[in-house]
Amino acid sequence: MESDSMDLKVRELLKEVTLDYSPTLSKHVNDTVSAIKDAIDKIPDDLKVTADEAPGFVRDIGADKVEFKFKKPTSIEIGGSYAIQCIVKPDINVDLFIRLPKECFHEKDYLNYRYHAKRCLYLSIIKKYLKFSSVKVEWSTLQNEARKPVLLVYPATELVGLPGFFVRIIPTTNSLFTIKKLNLKRSNIRALTHGGIPQATPKYNSSILEDMFLEDTSELIKKTFLGWKELGEASILLKVWARQRSSIYVHDCLNGFLISVILSYLASQNKIANSMRAMQIFRVTLNFIGRYLFNEIRKTNFFHLRCCTWSPLQKYGTMDSTSDGKARRVYHRRKGFHIKKLFQLLFVIHQLPSICHFVYQGLVSFRYYLPGHCGPYLQDEATLTLKCIEKCRDGGFEEIFMTKVDSAAKYDYCIRLDLKGKSEVHASGFCLDDECWRLYEQKVHSLLNQGLNNRAKLIRVIWRNTLSECSIENGFSILDREPLLVGVSVNSMENAFRVVDIGPNAENKQEALKFRKFWGEKAELRRFKDGTIAESTVWESEHWNRHLILKRIAEYVLLRHLSLSKENIVHILDQLDFSLLHGVRDPISFSGSLLKALEVLSKRLRLIQDIPLKVSSVQPLDPAFRFTSVFPPEPHPLAIDKGDVPRLQKLMPSCIQPLEVMIQLEGSGNWPMDDIAIEKTKTAFLLKIGESLQNSWGMTCTATEDDVDVFMSGYVFRLKIWHERGLSLLKREDGSDQFKWVSSIDKELFVRSQHSSMINGLQGRYPLYGPVVRIAKRWVASHLFSSCLGEEAVELLVAHLFLKPLPFNAPCSRITGFLRFLRLLSEYDWTFSALVVDINEDLSPKDEKEISNNFMLTRKGYEENKQNISAAMFLATAYDKASEAWTRFSPNVSELKRLVAYARSSANLLNKLILQDQIDSYKWECLLRTPLNNYDAVILLHRDRLPYPQRLLFPSELNQGKHVARGNASKVFQPFMSPVDFKGSLEELKNKLLVNFDPLRFFVGDLEKEFSNMFKVWYDSLGGDAIGITWDRFSSKKRGREEGEDPVDVLKSVGQFGKGFVRSVYSLKSPRLMN
Amino acid sequence: MDLQLKHKKNKKKRQNTDKLQKDEVLNMEVEREKSKPTEKNKRKREKGNDIDTGKAVRSNIKDGSINAISGRKMKESSRKKNRKNEERNTLTGKSEQPSTDAEVEFVDQYGKSKKAKHKKKEDGGSSKKGETDQDEVCHLSCGDESCSKGVKGSSKKARMKRKKEHNSSKEAKKSQEKAPEADSDDVYQISSGDEDCSKGMKKWIMEYNQSRPGLKVLEQNIDEFITAHEANLEQERKEREAQAAEGGWTVVVHHKGRKKTTDVESGTTVGSVAKAVVEDNMKKKKREEVKLDFYRFQRREAQRNEILTLQSKFEEDKKRIQQLRAARKFRPY
C-alpha cells in the first residue's frame, strides 16, 4: 500500500519535472543550434587571434605564446542531458560540444596554461560573432572553474513554457595532446617549483584531460541511457534529490554529469538490472554512494572498478599512461588480469577539489581519489536519505524530493567570509596547479577543522565565486565578490559547549610547539585533575552563553591565521539572542535557583501534617520548569520568606508571574460529587495548605477564589490540586457513544501535567530544545499570534523537529532550529495530514490508527466547505490522540492561513539573511517586527503601563490610517515600585506586589467579551505594545444591531475599555460588508 | 474532605469577633449600593454617602468597628447633612494636600497631561477643585490602607473608590469634551480613567484587589457555600421524596454507604458502582452485539458494506491526490 502511494507520487513528480520533448521543442533547439552554427560559419578562417581578445584572462592565468589562427571547429554536437532526455525542470539548457580544431594548437600547448588561454580566446571570437547575429551571449564557467569558461547563448525568441532556456557552448578536444604528458605526476607549469624542483600539477593536468574525454564519456553515457527509460527516470530523480541539497550539488561535489557517469557505471556493473524501477535504481545508487564508494576509497586510497567494454575507446589505448602504475599492477595481478589486455584511458572529473579521477581502462574502470572534504558530506547525505526511505511516512517522498535541504537549514552554524578585494587570496597568482579560490577554501577548511576539532562533525567550505554575467576576459580580480560560505554541523552539544580543550602533553615538545604556534597566546599550560600537565585552550563563559564558544573559537582562529578584520567575518549564530535577553542577561540563568526552590517547596508541602489529606505528589506545570518559557521569572526581592531581609533594588517590578504547581492528595472517599463542590473543596484545601505554610515556614500566602499563591525564595508558586476522580468520571462519558469534549479543570490539569513531564524529558535529551522553543514562542507572540497558537502547541511543533529531524539531523543551533520551525509551519500539509508528535516513541500501530481515525473525523466536513474543519492544525500526542488539548479551537482555518503566510515570509527572510545579506542587525530584527498595516485597526498601548516593559522588543508607532482616539496613561498602576513605597514594612511591600496582574490580558478579555462578533483581536502576550484588530465580515443575518454602528464609534468605545492603558487607536480599513 | 471538621470550623468562625460581622454588614451595604442604578437624582445622595463611608473606612485604620457603625449612621442622615459632610471632606482633603502632592508627582512622571486636566478643573470652580483633590487623597490613602490592613481593607477601599470615581467621571467627561475642541483635529480623547472605574486600568486594579480579600474571608465564603450547597441538595432530595410519596408510592432510595468500592489502581472510591462491574456489563453487552452476523444476510450485508467503505476510501484517496496535484504538491521547486 505504502509503496503504491510512493510509486504514484514519483510518477507525478516525474510528470512535473520532465520536459516534454515535443517536435516544437526540438525544432526550437535545432533552430537555435543552427543559428549558432551559422554565426560560427561566418567567422573567417585563418583569422589571427591574439591575447587582445581577452587580455585580462591571459594575464591572470599566466600564459605565454597564445597567438593562433582561427579555424572552424571540427564538429558541433548536442550532448549532455538533452541528448539523453534527462533534463530536469526548471533549469532547461542544452549542452553544445564544440570540438576545438587541432590546427589551432601546438604540440606543447599543454604547458603553462597555453591551452586554457587559447580555449578562452577561441570562445571570445565565437562570442564576438554571435553578438553580431543579435543573440544574447554570456560568459559562464564549467563547474565554477574560472580557467575554463563556457558560453551561454540565449535564443532571440523565447518559446512559451521554456523560460530562461539557453544553450551552453562547451569546448572539447579529442586526442589533442599525448595522454602520457598529462600524467598526474608530471609538472606542466614551469613556474611552479619548490626549491628548484618542479612540482607535480595533477589538477592542472586533469583539467585538460577532462576536456579531452568529455565527448567520449558523454557518448558512453548516451549509449547506456538510450532506450532505458527507468535509468533516465532514475537520473532525473537523483538530480531532483541533489538539487534540493544545495550543499552537495556544487562545483566540488555532484553535478548532473557525474550522476549520469555513476549511473552508467552501476549499469555496466550489473548492479542495476533491466527490470528495476526508477525508485529502485535510485535506492541502489544512493546505497552505492553512501556505503561503498567512499569507504572503498578510504581503505585503499584508490578504487578500481570494471566498467564496461567499450571498443571505441581502444583507439586511445596506449599502455599505462596514468600515474600510480604500481598500485594498479597490484590490482591486476590480484584479479588475474593480464595487464596487456587492458587499454587504459584516463578520464578525470576535475571538479572534486583534490582529485576525483575516473580512469577508464580498456575494460573501462574508474579510479576515484579521495576528495578533500566533499566525500564525507556526500556520503552523509546519501545515508540520511536512505534512512528517510526506511523510516519516514510514505517512503519519505516529502523528505527526499520535496524538502529543501539548503545550507541555511542544514548547517548548525554558518560563517560568511567577505573576501572582496583581499589580495591575500591570490597572493601567489590566480591559477597554480589549482585555482587560488579552491586553495583558499581548503585553507579555511583546515584551519577550522583544527580549531574546532571534535566540536564539529562536518565542516563544509564553499565559495561559489564565479557569477554568470561577469566578463571573464577582463581578468580574475572580480571573482571575489561573492562571500565564502562555511557550514558547520555540530557533533554533539557536550562537545560544542566544552570550555577547555586539552592539547598535547607538555613533555611532547614537538606537538606542544605546534599547538602553541596554532593557538598563539590563547594556548596555556595547565595542570589537570589527573595530574597531567598539558597545553590547553580555555574558553571561559557563563552557562547560558556557552553556545557562543564556537563563534569565539572560529573568530580567533580565522583572525589569527588569515589577514581578515572582524567586519569581514559574519557568524550566523547569535543574531536572535537579543529577543530572549532581559537587559544583558538571559533570564534562563535563574532556572537553577527556580528548580531548587521548587524542590524545597515540594518537600514542605509533603511535610504538612495539619490537613485531613496529605499531599502525595507535587508536579510542576509551568514552562519555566522545563526551560521552555521565554521569560522564566527572575527572583523578586520581595517574594521571600518571613525573616529574610529583602535586598531592595532601585527598579523593582510591581508585578510577578506565578508558576503553576500541581498537587495530588491522598485518596479519600469523602469528596463531593458535583463539579462546583469539588472545586470549592479544592480551594478550601489549598487555603489550609497556604495557612499551614504560612504558620510553619513563614511563607506569605495570598489567594483568590480560584487561585492560591505562595511566596518563596523570590518566586510565587500557584498551587493547583488535581483530583483524579474528575478524570475517571470523564472517561466513562467518553466510553459512551457520543464523542464529546468535556472541558473540565481536572482533565486540563491532567493533560498539562502529562505534557509537562514529557517535554521535560525531551528537554533533557536535547539541550538545544529549550532555546529553540523560546525563540519560536517569541516569534509567534511578536507577530501577534498569542491567541492563535498556544505555548504548548509551539512546544510540540518544535519537539517534532527534534524527534523526526529527517532529512536533517536534529538541529544543534538556535537559528537552524528556528528556521526549521518556520519551514515546518509553512510547509506542512496541515489540511490533509495530522502531525503526530511521539515524544517517548511509544505509540503503537493501534494508537496510530486511532489518531488517523480521529483525524479523518475532523476533516469530514472538508468536502462541503473548506472552512469547515475543526482543529485546522491537528497535533496528536500520546496523551491526546484527538488533538483536543491545544489546537482544537485555535488556530482556525483562516488564522492558520495567516500564520503560514507569516512563517513563510519569515523563513525566506531568514534564509536570505543567513546566506547573503551583510551584517545588519535591523534586518534580523525584522524577523520579529510585525508590520502593523496588515490589520484593519491598531491599538497602541502605553509602554510604561505594560507589566514588564523591559520585554518590549520594539516600540510601535504608526503614521498611517486614521487616528481615531488617544488616551492618557492611568496613574493607578506602575510597572515598577516607587522608592516612596519602600518605607513601609516588608508585609506592606509584599501586599503591593501584584501577582499575575496583566492589563493586556484583562483588556483583551474585556474586548472579546464585548465585541466578539465584530472583530478579532491579535496581540502579543509576551509584552508587545500593539494590538491588531481585524473586522469580522458582517454577515447579513447578524447585522441587526451593528448595522447602524460606525466603525469609528466602535473603535472609540474600544478605547474606552482600555482607559488608562490605551495610548491611541488607529483605523486603517473599514469593515467589509458581505452579503 | 472531612465535612465534620468543616462544620466545626464554621462554628469557630461564627464565633468570630464583632468586628468581622460588622465589616460584613458594611460590605453588604456597599454591595447593595453598587447594584443601584446610577440615576441622576440618586446620585447626589450617594455621593454624600460615599464620602461618608470612605471616611469611615479611612478612620477604620485606627479603630474599625465603632467607625463602621458611625458610617452606617451617617448614611441614614439627611441630605442637608451630606452637604456639610462634603465640606468637611474637602477640608480634610486640603489638609492632606502637601504630603500627597509629592507622591502625585512621582506617579505622574509619564502622564503630565493629567496635571493639565487638574488645572482645567480648577478653573471650573473651587468646589470642583476640592472634589478632585479629595479624589487624589482618597486614592492615596487607599494605598496606605492596603499596606497596613491587608487584603481585607483593600477590597473595601476599592469599592468605595469606585463610587468616588463615578461622581467625578461627570466632570471628567466635561473636560473631555473641551479637550478635542482645543485639539481641532477630530481625534477622540480617552480619559486616563483614573476617575472612572467601570472600565480600563482602574477597573482591573480594583478587580484584582477585590479578588483577594484574605485567606480568612475566602475560607469563610467557601464554608458558607458548601453548607448552603449541601442544604440545597438535602432539600432537593427531600422534596423529591415528598413528591414521590405524595403519589402514594413508596420510594426505594439507594442509600449511600455499603455499596462503595474502591478503585483498584489509586485506592480512591469510584462512585457507587465498581469499575469492574461496569466493565463486566460492557462485556456482556458486547457479547450480545456479536450476534449481529447470525443470519447469512447479515453477514452478506456486512461484507458489502466493507467493500463499499473500501471503495469510498479509494475514491477519497484519489480525490486527495488530485487536490495535491492542484496544489502543485509534486513540484520540487
Side-chain angles (χ1 to χ4, degrees):
Chain A
M1 191 73 192
E2 226 169 57
S3 67
D4 278 354
S5 81
M6 182 70 174
D7 270 358
L8 187 115
K9 283 178 179 171
V10 167
R11 263 205 307 281
E12 290 297 326
L13 173 75
L14 286 172
K15 258 186 227 164
E16 282 288 339
V17 295
T18 330
L19 200 61
D20 181 20
Y21 297 92
S22 61
T24 34
L25 175 77
S26 53
K27 187 175 171 292
H28 184 68
V29 171
N30 290 338
D31 286 353
T32 317
V33 170
S34 59
I36 294 171
K37 274 183 185 162
D38 289 347
I40 293 175
D41 272 339
K42 280 188 195 132
I43 307 173
D45 253 353
D46 295 332
L47 177 78
K48 204 162 185 254
V49 186
T50 61
D52 297 340
E53 297 295 333
F57 183 90
V58 175
R59 181 194 65 224
D60 285 342
I61 209 166
D64 48 355
K65 296 188 225 163
V66 292
E67 293 81 19
F68 65 95
K69 279 181 185 158
F70 187 87
K71 292 271 192 280
K72 297 226 160 49
T74 327
S75 71
I76 298 179
E77 261 177 65
I78 292 177
S81 52
Y82 179 78
I84 53 171
Q85 305 211 330
C86 286
I87 288 182
V88 177
K89 283 198 238 175
D91 298 349
I92 303 160
N93 56 66
V94 171
D95 285 354
L96 196 64
F97 293 139
I98 291 186
R99 194 181 297 170
L100 302 177
K102 251 186 169 160
E103 297 82 48
C104 293
F105 294 90
H106 297 294
E107 198 189 340
K108 293 227 160 186
D109 272 355
Y110 58 84
L111 286 174
N112 296 344
Y113 279 108
R114 281 177 215 159
Y115 166 73
H116 290 92
K118 281 186 174 177
R119 183 183 177 280
C120 175
L121 292 174
Y122 195 91
L123 283 178
S124 332
I125 296 292
I126 292 179
K127 186 175 183 235
K128 211 160 142 191
Y129 278 84
L130 277 173
K131 269 194 174 159
F132 292 145
S133 57
S134 74
V135 283
K136 197 177 147 210
V137 195
E138 270 177 11
W139 283 112
S140 177
T141 56
L142 199 60
Q143 294 301 317
N144 201 24
E145 193 176 359
R147 57 190 172 187
K148 280 169 79 171
V150 295
L151 286 177
L152 307 185
V153 182
Y154 296 89
T157 52
E158 211 169 71
L159 197 66
V160 183
L162 268 188
F165 167 81
F166 61 84
V167 174
R168 198 155 66 137
I169 299 181
I170 303 172
T172 64
T173 55
N174 256 4
S175 60
L176 191 61
F177 307 113
T178 328
I179 295 163
K180 230 175 179 172
K181 300 283 183 195
L182 293 166
N183 184 313
L184 296 184
K185 284 193 173 162
R186 286 190 68 108
S187 169
N188 286 325
I189 305 175
R190 294 285 176 259
L192 195 68
T193 53
H194 186 76
I197 308 154
Q199 294 283 297
T201 55
K203 282 173 206 169
Y204 170 83
N205 299 353
S206 312
S207 163
I208 299 175
L209 283 170
E210 185 195 28
D211 277 8
M212 288 174 63
F213 293 105
L214 198 56
E215 270 188 81
D216 291 336
T217 321
S218 173
E219 195 64 34
L220 167 76
I221 291 168
K222 210 194 251 168
K223 241 181 155 180
T224 326
F225 273 73
L226 277 187
W228 196 346
K229 194 173 142 239
E230 285 77 17
L231 198 65
E233 286 176 351
S235 102
I236 291 174
L237 289 180
L238 278 164
K239 280 182 200 170
V240 170
W241 168 79
R243 251 183 221 171
Q244 294 285 18
R245 288 150 179 77
S246 60
S247 60
I248 57 169
Y249 203 71
V250 282
H251 53 89
D252 68 350
C253 205
L254 274 188
N255 55 55
F257 184 66
L258 198 52
I259 288 173
S260 307
V261 169
I262 292 175
L263 275 176
S264 42
Y265 161 72
L266 287 173
S268 71
Q269 289 286 294
N270 294 328
K271 291 208 169 149
I272 300 173
N274 274 317
S275 56
M276 281 184 179
R277 279 184 297 187
M279 212 37 214
Q280 288 169 311
I281 301 176
F282 176 78
R283 201 170 168 164
V284 165
T285 314
L286 285 184
N287 205 25
F288 171 73
I289 294 175
R291 302 240 162 94
Y292 300 110
L293 191 54
F294 294 96
N295 286 350
E296 204 57 32
I297 294 163
R298 208 166 283 150
K299 256 189 270 166
T300 56
N301 207 29
F302 75 102
F303 193 41
H304 277 280
L305 295 158
R306 247 175 55 190
C307 194
C308 63
T309 323
W310 189 39
S311 49
L313 278 179
Q314 290 176 6
K315 61 185 167 191
Y316 304 110
T318 50
M319 274 293 294
D320 188 29
S321 56
T322 58
S323 66
D324 255 357
K326 201 171 126 204
R328 204 175 48 256
R329 270 198 294 281
V330 173
Y331 165 79
H332 293 315
R333 221 171 288 141
R334 202 173 60 217
K335 284 276 172 185
F337 282 114
H338 199 275
I339 198 157
K340 278 184 185 165
K341 273 188 189 167
L342 300 168
F343 300 93
Q344 279 117 27
L345 254 184
L346 184 72
F347 177 67
V348 185
I349 301 289
H350 72 119
Q351 301 90 329
L352 297 168
S354 37
I355 318 158
C356 161
H357 298 249
F358 286 74
V359 183
Y360 285 80
Q361 307 200 352
L363 307 156
V364 180
S365 68
F366 72 100
R367 198 178 60 194
Y368 211 159
Y369 274 82
L370 179 66
H373 44 271
C374 131
Y377 237 88
L378 189 56
Q379 198 177 6
D380 182 54
E381 278 299 348
T383 2
L384 272 177
T385 309
L386 287 171
K387 245 193 226 167
C388 285
I389 297 179
E390 275 168 39
K391 290 190 178 164
C392 291
R393 224 162 38 110
D394 290 346
F397 179 83
E398 284 284 320
E399 286 82 359
I400 297 168
F401 299 114
M402 308 300 283
T403 317
K404 242 191 163 38
V405 188
D406 48 3
S407 311
K410 165 94 189 162
Y411 306 121
D412 296 315
Y413 166 38
C414 289
I415 310 171
R416 279 198 323 251
L417 297 183
D418 175 23
L419 298 163
K420 209 184 280 177
K422 291 275 170 219
S423 57
E424 183 205 14
V425 176
H426 53 85
S428 49
F430 286 101
C431 296
L432 300 167
D433 175 30
D434 207 348
E435 293 178 302
C436 60
W437 308 283
R438 304 290 88 73
L439 290 173
Y440 203 77
E441 274 178 0
Q442 282 171 46
K443 194 170 170 189
V444 172
H445 183 264
S446 67
L447 277 177
L448 288 175
N449 212 3
Q450 198 176 344
L452 298 174
N453 58 54
N454 70 352
R455 289 171 204 267
K457 187 160 62 185
L458 291 167
I459 299 173
R460 189 93 168 93
V461 184
I462 299 171
W463 193 358
R464 278 191 191 81
N465 59 317
T466 55
L467 306 157
S468 52
E469 296 157 31
C470 62
S471 40
I472 223 145
E473 57 263 53
N474 295 337
F476 292 154
S477 54
I478 46 156
L479 289 176
D480 52 10
R481 294 269 167 84
E482 287 290 298
L484 177 142
L485 185 77
V486 183
V488 179
S489 285
V490 171
N491 204 347
S492 74
M493 292 329 286
E494 291 101 72
N495 282 346
F497 287 7
R498 194 177 50 218
V499 178
V500 181
D501 274 344
I502 304 175
N505 204 306
E507 283 160 24
N508 189 345
K509 287 266 159 53
Q510 222 173 4
E511 287 293 312
L513 199 71
K514 249 195 206 163
F515 190 85
R516 285 214 159 252
K517 207 175 158 200
F518 185 79
W519 288 108
E521 69 268 27
K522 196 72 198 166
E524 289 173 31
L525 206 57
R526 281 203 160 208
R527 194 193 145 96
F528 292 92
K529 271 179 194 161
D530 58 353
T532 52
I533 299 172
E535 293 285 347
S536 61
T537 49
V538 182
W539 308 93
E540 206 67 65
S541 90
E542 287 204 57
H543 200 78
W544 53 274
N545 243 346
R546 291 265 162 93
H547 64 286
L548 297 182
I549 291 179
L550 277 181
K551 173 184 165 177
R552 284 169 61 196
I553 295 178
E555 192 170 74
Y556 180 82
V557 167
L558 292 177
L559 287 180
R560 179 173 159 77
H561 293 277
L562 303 174
S563 60
L564 295 172
S565 64
K566 263 191 182 179
E567 292 80 61
N568 297 129
I569 309 175
V570 184
H571 301 268
I572 316 288
L573 190 68
D574 55 350
Q575 272 83 347
L576 288 173
D577 290 359
F578 74 91
S579 63
L580 302 178
L581 298 183
H582 255 191
V584 288
R585 227 182 135 78
D586 190 338
I588 201 82
S589 51
F590 296 108
S591 292
S593 81
L594 173 63
L595 291 181
K596 236 180 259 164
L598 174 73
E599 215 170 280
V600 176
L601 176 74
S602 63
K603 205 181 267 172
R604 288 182 183 177
L605 283 172
R606 271 187 225 141
L607 282 176
I608 293 177
Q609 297 289 346
D610 46 356
I611 49 172
L613 298 175
K614 275 177 110 184
V615 174
S616 67
S617 81
V618 180
Q619 219 189 332
L621 292 183
D622 196 274
F625 295 114
R626 48 182 193 261
F627 301 96
T628 57
S629 172
V630 180
F631 294 115
E634 300 170 24
H636 196 284
L638 285 181
I640 46 171
D641 301 353
K642 202 179 269 172
D644 293 348
V645 185
R647 283 178 299 116
L648 296 183
Q649 300 163 353
K650 224 179 184 182
L651 276 180
M652 264 200 308
S654 54
C655 297
I656 187 162
Q657 286 169 260
L659 300 156
E660 287 195 322
V661 170
M662 190 181 96
I663 293 176
Q664 226 178 319
L665 297 175
E666 287 175 333
S668 157
N670 287 343
W671 281 87
M673 294 298 285
D674 55 325
D675 275 350
I676 315 165
I678 288 180
E679 286 313 310
K680 289 281 176 193
T681 318
K682 280 183 185 174
T683 316
F685 260 114
L686 287 177
L687 288 173
K688 274 272 173 200
I689 289 172
E691 265 176 10
S692 165
L693 289 175
Q694 216 162 10
N695 295 337
S696 42
W697 304 99
M699 291 159 66
T700 314
C701 173
T702 142
T704 70
E705 300 229 337
D706 309 309
D707 308 306
V708 176
D709 305 316
V710 293
F711 291 44
M712 204 183 96
S713 357
Y715 301 102
V716 173
F717 296 95
R718 173 160 288 183
L719 306 177
K720 297 269 172 197
I721 289 181
W722 179 51
H723 177 45
E724 60 224 331
R725 244 257 319 271
L727 201 68
S728 61
L729 283 173
L730 269 178
K731 266 185 191 158
R732 203 162 299 157
E733 268 172 66
D734 274 4
S736 62
D737 288 345
Q738 51 186 168
F739 186 76
K740 226 170 97 189
W741 168 249
V742 190
S743 118
S744 112
I745 292 165
D746 282 314
K747 168 95 178 171
E748 200 195 310
L749 276 176
F750 175 72
V751 168
R752 286 180 61 197
S753 73
Q754 290 280 306
H755 176 83
S756 181
S757 65
M758 279 188 187
I759 293 293
N760 199 20
L762 183 75
Q763 178 275 128
R765 264 149 69 201
Y766 302 101
L768 225 86
Y769 173 74
V772 174
V773 170
R774 293 172 67 210
I775 292 182
K777 280 182 181 172
R778 188 70 160 155
W779 179 84
V780 168
S782 64
H783 287 285
L784 311 186
F785 286 115
S786 284
S787 60
C788 306
L789 196 60
E791 285 203 38
E792 287 87 355
V794 177
E795 281 167 15
L796 288 180
L797 287 172
V798 177
H800 178 79
L801 300 177
F802 283 82
L803 293 166
K804 292 252 170 72
L806 290 172
F808 306 99
N809 292 311
C812 278
S813 83
R814 298 172 176 200
I815 288 178
T816 315
F818 176 55
L819 177 64
R820 291 195 208 160
F821 163 76
L822 292 177
R823 292 232 177 122
L824 172 71
L825 205 53
S826 61
E827 279 161 17
Y828 198 80
D829 182 16
W830 296 110
T831 342
F832 293 111
S833 336
L835 187 73
V836 183
V837 186
D838 189 2
I839 296 174
N840 292 333
E841 278 152 41
D842 53 1
L843 283 182
S844 65
K846 204 181 136 207
D847 292 329
E848 266 160 33
K849 201 167 169 230
E850 193 188 331
I851 288 171
S852 84
N853 284 343
N854 288 336
F855 176 70
M856 293 316 275
L857 273 179
T858 62
R859 295 296 182 268
K860 243 182 185 170
Y862 183 78
E863 287 306 311
E864 295 95 58
N865 180 4
K866 295 201 173 176
Q867 299 287 321
N868 185 16
I869 48 177
S870 54
M873 180 185 265
F874 193 98
L875 290 178
T877 50
Y879 61 82
D880 174 28
K881 296 194 186 88
S883 184
E884 287 168 328
W886 318 117
T887 55
R888 183 173 172 77
F889 301 111
S890 67
N892 61 28
V893 176
S894 59
E895 286 167 353
L896 183 63
K897 219 168 134 192
R898 199 175 176 119
L899 198 56
V900 164
Y902 273 66
R904 188 175 300 125
S905 79
S906 285
N908 290 341
L909 175 61
L910 182 55
N911 195 31
K912 223 175 101 194
L913 285 169
I914 294 174
L915 297 179
Q916 296 163 14
D917 268 324
Q918 295 306 308
I919 335 148
D920 185 358
S921 62
Y922 177 77
K923 283 262 178 73
W924 282 91
E925 285 167 12
C926 282
L927 283 173
L928 297 171
R929 213 187 267 270
T930 202
L932 290 174
N933 51 11
N934 288 346
Y935 301 93
D936 297 339
V938 173
I939 307 170
L940 298 183
L941 307 172
H942 284 288
R943 276 160 224 152
D944 43 35
R945 293 299 179 275
L946 294 169
Y948 308 100
Q950 69 273 36
R951 291 182 188 171
L952 177 67
L953 275 176
F954 319 105
S956 319
E957 286 301 340
L958 206 69
N959 39 20
Q960 62 184 113
K962 191 179 162 222
H963 196 170
V964 175
R966 75 159 68 97
N968 295 326
S970 163
K971 280 188 253 171
V972 289
F973 172 71
Q974 293 291 338
F976 293 105
M977 290 188 171
S978 60
V980 185
D981 294 339
F982 294 173
K983 282 174 201 154
S985 73
L986 181 60
E987 281 308 303
E988 285 170 33
L989 276 175
K990 268 189 190 174
N991 276 325
K992 278 190 192 162
L993 259 187
L994 298 169
V995 181
N996 206 20
F997 183 80
D998 184 1
L1000 178 71
R1001 201 181 62 229
F1002 299 137
F1003 183 36
V1004 170
D1006 282 355
L1007 290 184
E1008 273 167 0
K1009 209 160 57 196
E1010 207 63 29
F1011 303 98
S1012 62
N1013 56 347
M1014 293 183 75
F1015 54 71
K1016 166 143 187 59
V1017 185
W1018 308 79
Y1019 63 94
D1020 172 1
S1021 64
L1022 286 174
D1025 63 347
I1027 297 176
I1029 282 178
T1030 50
W1031 298 108
D1032 280 349
R1033 289 163 182 247
F1034 290 115
S1035 66
S1036 47
K1037 268 184 203 170
K1038 259 197 262 168
R1039 227 187 275 175
R1041 193 171 67 87
E1042 294 95 313
E1043 196 168 24
E1045 269 186 275
D1046 183 17
V1048 172
D1049 287 338
V1050 175
L1051 288 179
K1052 279 178 189 168
S1053 67
V1054 163
Q1056 282 290 334
F1057 270 94
K1059 269 184 201 177
F1061 190 42
V1062 169
R1063 178 154 52 102
S1064 40
V1065 183
Y1066 290 87
S1067 167
L1068 304 176
K1069 275 172 237 154
S1070 293
R1072 295 150 292 189
L1073 284 172
M1074 190 180 72
N1075 294 314
Chain B
M1 186 179 183
D2 201 59
L3 287 167
Q4 272 200 330
L5 186 131
K6 225 176 204 179
H7 282 297
K8 274 181 196 166
K9 211 168 58 189
N10 276 348
K11 272 175 200 165
K12 255 189 201 170
K13 278 206 186 115
R14 261 172 228 144
Q15 286 161 7
N16 230 333
T17 54
D18 264 25
K19 180 186 147 196
L20 234 164
Q21 273 185 357
K22 270 162 199 165
D23 273 352
E24 251 204 37
V25 175
L26 188 75
N27 270 344
M28 277 163 62
E29 199 80 42
V30 177
E31 215 112 58
R32 195 168 52 79
E33 271 179 29
K34 207 167 72 179
S35 61
K36 272 184 196 166
T38 49
E39 288 161 44
K40 267 192 178 175
N41 54 350
K42 276 187 187 172
R43 198 170 240 188
K44 247 190 180 174
R45 203 181 121 205
E46 265 180 34
K47 198 200 282 176
N49 287 349
D50 291 341
I51 294 156
D52 291 342
T53 39
K55 235 203 95 190
V57 175
R58 220 181 308 140
S59 38
N60 236 350
I61 308 163
K62 287 157 200 161
D63 40 5
S65 55
I66 308 158
N67 262 307
I69 295 161
S70 74
R72 265 174 80 201
K73 274 181 188 166
M74 272 187 217
K75 250 173 229 165
E76 287 154 21
S77 64
S78 69
R79 284 186 196 177
K80 280 175 195 168
K81 268 189 182 171
N82 277 345
R83 191 77 208 153
K84 265 185 192 170
N85 282 337
E86 207 175 294
E87 277 166 23
R88 226 168 61 200
N89 258 319
T90 14
L91 275 173
T92 50
K94 270 179 185 166
S95 67
E96 279 173 43
Q97 191 77 4
S99 66
T100 52
D101 245 356
E103 285 183 44
V104 171
E105 206 128 87
F106 171 78
V107 173
D108 226 357
Q109 58 183 327
Y110 298 109
K112 269 182 185 154
S113 54
K114 179 76 194 167
K115 275 253 144 146
K117 212 181 283 167
H118 276 268
K119 269 174 198 163
K120 257 175 210 163
K121 280 173 197 163
E122 271 170 14
D123 295 340
S126 59
S127 65
K128 271 181 198 167
K129 183 198 168 194
E131 226 168 88
T132 44
D133 280 344
Q134 170 217 347
D135 209 353
E136 274 325 313
V137 173
C138 181
H139 153 56
L140 289 160
S141 67
C142 290
D144 291 345
E145 231 176 76
S146 67
C147 285
S148 59
K149 278 210 74 179
V151 199
K152 199 205 298 166
S154 65
S155 77
K156 267 181 254 157
K157 150 214 101 181
R159 266 171 215 156
M160 169 205 75
K161 207 162 50 181
R162 192 193 213 176
K163 295 283 125 54
K164 291 261 158 72
E165 257 59 84
H166 256 301
N167 300 332
S168 45
S169 67
K170 247 188 173 177
E171 276 116 39
K173 266 174 197 160
K174 267 183 207 161
S175 63
Q176 270 171 41
E177 280 160 30
K178 278 177 206 161
E181 281 166 24
D183 270 30
S184 81
D185 69 349
D186 54 345
V187 179
Y188 176 71
Q189 182 78 28
I190 309 163
S191 72
S192 71
D194 285 353
E195 314 80 17
D196 166 27
C197 48
S198 65
K199 283 172 189 171
M201 190 67 96
K202 190 124 190 184
K203 175 195 153 202
W204 303 324
I205 285 272
M206 196 189 71
E207 280 176 353
Y208 175 84
N209 287 328
Q210 255 172 12
S211 68
R212 290 171 190 269
L215 300 188
K216 289 273 178 274
V217 179
L218 280 173
E219 248 171 46
Q220 203 178 338
N221 288 349
I222 288 171
D223 285 346
E224 271 162 28
F225 173 85
I226 295 270
T227 344
H229 187 73
E230 268 168 10
N232 270 350
L233 285 182
E234 187 70 13
Q235 179 117 20
E236 264 175 46
R237 195 177 60 86
K238 272 185 185 157
E239 266 172 30
R240 242 184 292 131
E241 273 174 32
Q243 212 177 357
E246 265 171 35
W249 297 92
T250 322
V251 189
V252 182
V253 190
H254 162 75
H255 288 286
K256 48 178 174 176
R258 196 44 252 146
K259 255 198 169 176
K260 276 178 195 165
T261 36
T262 46
D263 195 322
V264 195
E265 292 163 2
S266 55
T268 48
T269 319
V270 188
S272 53
V273 190
K275 210 176 179 183
V277 178
V278 176
E279 271 165 12
D280 253 20
N281 285 341
M282 296 287 274
K283 267 180 201 164
K284 268 181 206 162
K285 265 186 198 168
K286 261 182 195 165
R287 248 176 260 140
E288 279 161 21
E289 279 162 15
V290 170
K291 285 179 185 170
L292 266 177
D293 62 347
F294 182 77
Y295 298 104
R296 180 172 285 181
F297 80 89
Q298 280 177 327
R299 256 176 283 162
R300 241 183 265 146
E301 223 158 58
Q303 265 176 346
R304 201 182 306 145
N305 279 343
E306 201 178 331
I307 289 170
L308 279 178
T309 49
L310 275 179
Q311 269 177 350
S312 71
K313 214 171 194 182
F314 180 71
E315 289 296 318
E316 256 172 45
D317 280 358
K318 254 166 87 181
K319 250 181 216 164
R320 215 199 127 176
I321 296 286
Q322 268 167 4
Q323 276 157 352
L324 287 175
R325 199 175 302 160
R328 302 216 176 278
K329 279 285 176 197
F330 295 111
R331 183 173 281 192
Y333 50 91

